[in-house]
Amino acid sequence: MRLVHAADIHLDSPLRGLTRLGDSDLAHLLRQATRRALANLVDLTLARRADALLLAGDIYDGTWRDYATGRFFVEQMGRLRDAEVPVFMISGNHDAESEITRTLTLPPNVTVFPSDEAGTREVADLGLAVHGQSYPTVAVHDNLVRRYPDARPGLVNVGLLHTAADGAEGHDNYAPCSADDLTSTGYDYFALGHVHTHRVVAAGEHVAAFSGNLQGRTPRETGPKGALVVEITGDGPAQVEHVPCDVARWERIAVDVTGSDSLDDVLTLLGRELRAARASAGDRPVVARVVLTGTSRAAAELADAERLREELRTVADGMQVCLEKIAARVTDPASGGGVDPELVAAVRAATEALGARPDQLTPWITPLDREVGRLLRGAGLLDLGDPDTRADLVQRAGAGLLARLAGGDA
């Protein structure tokens, strides 16, 4: 049996970070990216001649702005209806926010599992039993899987669950459960949603996996995004293959420029990383966030933000890579001057530690974000909720402090 498993489509979700791209062709493409990724998912399901499509929640992104969002989903499911491919889906926390989704008429090939309790749907001619439960509310904190039905003997058993499983950074701990909870059901495969990164939670006889989302929506959702093609033969555990469905790819390119003596050296290093990102993305557009770190004699040149931006964009444009943001966190090896070396080392260590954990700034930044955050984001200047932005501010503060100490202005 061959199944395709996807989750977290977030259809028509607004992508973050587009302000800096202006009104470019790439910005328009990214605004349609979730729709095109869904179409790619249906193409994949048909091309692989899958027996069924499994959707593990967060099909939508909360309340729709208009009915076009739902109509597009219905149209894509209609393509699978015409090919006689059944679709099994559950609602996740974002779906539960949408009133309109509860009244949407779906094609007859689509089964949506109830939210009051876990249910089972059998497809006799396939020898398939699918088990699942939708979210009744936005936040579900119960361990739902413990109440899932027993595996049906003589059938391939598959579960659908929207969960944080053992927990995942950046995701609310909804429907928490363990790998043991999932495997104890005896299902051949558990299709998981909610976590936006592909990850196998349980291997061995009973497999459970996150497919990740179909399309990266923010600069932090980097790398290939797509669906899982699941092969179940009965001769061993389910085999899982991750297949990209994204139409544009976010990348975070960190370059350690330590030892570079000039801006040209830095551009050479960056060019190497951009070529690698370009090659891995195939024919997809690449939107990159570049972070330069380390200690270099080129620090002064890199501190000229406008020049740095134009120099790096010249390199990136030649490779058809769009630079979404550039952050230079580079210090000069001579910074600190006649200041006590231990003090310089302490400032650098504190800067590095705080930059690695920008969430520690939350108590101070949250009130500021509440006051002026929307204005800063709207102007394309700063996103105070972005960890990279916070880390950049930490680096600037550390470099500024060292400069003031060296100049005797402290």
Side-chain angles (χ1 to χ4, degrees), residues 14 22 27 33 37 41 44 46 64 72 107 156 169 202-203 233 248 273 275 306 308 337 364 392 401:
L41 171 66
L44 172 66
L46 295 173
W64 308 342
F72 185 82
V156 170
E169 185 178 354
T233 64
E273 297 298 328
R275 278 191 292 274
E306 185 175 358
L308 176 63
W364 295 276
D392 190 34
L401 177 57

Side-chain angles (χ1 to χ4, degrees), residues 309-358:
R309 182 172 60 250
E310 295 307 317
E311 293 279 10
L312 296 188
R313 282 180 175 170
T314 298
V315 175
D317 288 348
M319 300 179 188
Q320 296 183 319
V321 175
C322 176
L323 296 185
E324 180 266 338
K325 183 180 178 182
I326 301 162
R329 304 170 189 164
V330 181
T331 58
D332 191 311
S335 64
V339 182
D340 183 347
E342 290 188 7
L343 176 58
V344 172
V347 171
R348 287 176 176 167
T351 300
E352 183 177 346
L354 189 54
R357 288 290 309 279

Side-chain angles (χ1 to χ4, degrees), residues 255-261 266 292-299 302 329-335 348 352 395 402:
V255 181
D256 186 349
V257 302
T258 298
S260 299
D261 292 327
V266 172
L292 305 177
T293 61
T295 303
S296 167
R297 292 187 179 90
L302 299 177
R329 304 170 189 164
V330 181
T331 58
D332 191 311
S335 64
R348 287 176 176 167
E352 183 177 346
Q395 175 64 32
L402 287 176

Side-chain angles (χ1 to χ4, degrees), residues 98-172:
S98 177
E99 297 291 336
I100 301 176
T101 58
R102 299 189 184 119
T103 62
L104 179 67
T105 301
L106 294 168
N109 63 315
V110 179
T111 296
V112 182
F113 285 89
S115 60
D116 55 344
E117 63 179 359
T120 302
R121 297 292 183 271
E122 290 190 12
V123 185
D125 57 342
L126 291 178
L128 174 67
V130 183
H131 316 271
Q133 181 176 356
S134 291
Y135 274 29
T137 60
V138 173
V140 174
H141 298 291
D142 296 333
N143 186 337
L144 298 181
V145 73
R146 290 179 179 170
R147 298 194 294 268
Y148 268 47
D150 294 335
R152 300 287 173 93
L155 301 176
V156 170
N157 285 266
V158 173
L160 288 172
L161 181 65
H162 201 74
T163 175
D166 291 318
E169 185 178 354
H171 297 275
D172 292 310

Side-chain angles (χ1 to χ4, degrees), residues 196-198 212-226 242 246 248-254 277 280 286-290 324 388:
H196 289 189
T197 304
H198 164 49
N213 53 345
L214 277 187
Q215 169 63 55
R217 301 179 303 140
T218 77
R220 293 193 296 278
E221 294 184 344
T222 59
K225 298 293 182 178
H242 185 263
D246 50 352
R249 190 156 298 169
W250 299 98
E251 293 290 356
R252 184 182 187 275
I253 299 176
S280 68
V286 174
V287 185
R289 174 171 289 188
V290 173
E324 180 266 338
D388 277 337

Side-chain angles (χ1 to χ4, degrees), residues 1-77:
M1 185 176 298
R2 180 177 296 135
L3 308 170
V4 173
H5 159 208
D8 301 284
I9 297 168
H10 292 279
L11 193 59
D12 285 348
S13 167
L15 274 64
R16 292 180 59 185
L18 298 188
T19 304
R20 298 182 184 91
L21 304 183
D23 196 35
S24 64
D25 290 341
L26 179 57
H28 288 294
L29 182 147
L30 289 173
R31 290 186 181 99
Q32 294 293 316
T34 55
R35 289 196 181 197
R36 292 182 58 183
L38 176 59
N40 288 346
L41 171 66
V42 174
D43 290 343
L44 172 66
T45 303
L46 295 173
R48 294 295 186 94
R49 299 182 181 275
D51 295 295
L53 173 63
L54 311 172
L55 299 176
D58 280 0
I59 311 305
Y60 306 111
D61 196 56
T63 303
W64 308 342
R65 286 175 292 180
D66 56 54
Y67 277 92
T69 300
R71 186 168 62 248
F72 185 82
F73 181 73
V74 169
E75 290 170 354
Q76 295 303 310
M77 296 305 99

